[in-house]
Amino acid sequence: QVPLVESGGGSAQAGGSLKLSCAVPVDYDGYCLMWFRRVPGKEREGVASIDPYGNIRYTDPVRGRFTISQNNDKKILYLQINGLNVDDTGMYICAATNRWGAGRCRSFDLGDYGHWGQGTQVTVSS
């Protein structure tokens, strides 16, 4: 399968913003899509998910600062990060699953997502 490919990471100052992108191959049309991150010293954590119907969920640590969205043809998945802080430093990875059928998103557990990209690094300095 064609992999998911993330981009848009980089270095930023605390308080700044970044917009990450993930190219979503046609193989994952109708799938639940999620952004998760690997933060140094912590377990991998999901941050946001979106299903084919536009239903969106966020985890508590990022709610209010992160926005997940897609372009019109749903081939690009975005993650807008505002109010960056040093704790946001990490590798951001997009993932896809159809484990629950019909593209439903029911979990932020990475074990439920069988497809993910290589990630894009975000580094925030104070």
Side-chain angles (χ1 to χ4, degrees):
Q1 283 181 305
V2 180
L4 299 135
V5 180
E6 302 89 341
S7 61
S11 297
Q13 294 281 329
S17 299
L18 282 174
K19 188 171 187 176
L20 310 182
S21 299
C22 172
V24 181
V26 64
D27 308 56
Y28 304 118
D29 280 358
Y31 275 45
C32 165
L33 302 173
M34 178 181 77
W35 282 100
F36 72 96
R37 62 185 180 184
R38 284 203 299 256
V39 177
K42 294 184 179 180
E43 294 288 327
R44 295 173 301 188
E45 61 174 351
V47 296
S49 67
I50 187 168
D51 71 17
Y53 317 103
N55 296 305
I56 290 171
R57 298 170 64 199
Y58 298 99
T59 55
D60 288 343
V62 307
R63 188 174 290 112
R65 294 193 300 120
F66 287 29
T67 303
I68 189 172
S69 63
Q70 295 174 283
N71 71 339
N72 287 340
D73 64 7
K74 299 186 179 180
K75 294 299 186 287
I76 306 293
L77 179 71
Y78 299 107
L79 186 68
Q80 175 72 42
I81 307 175
N82 297 326
L84 283 162
N85 59 62
V86 294
D87 292 335
D88 294 323
T89 294
M91 183 71 73
Y92 285 73
I93 302 168
C94 62
T97 188
N98 197 27
R99 174 175 178 149
W100 301 285
R104 284 185 287 260
C105 296
R106 292 199 169 153
S107 165
F108 281 110
D109 184 344
L110 184 60
D112 292 324
Y113 291 75
H115 313 279
W116 56 85
Q118 294 294 314
T120 185
Q121 177 68 33
V122 170
T123 302
V124 183
S125 57
S126 59

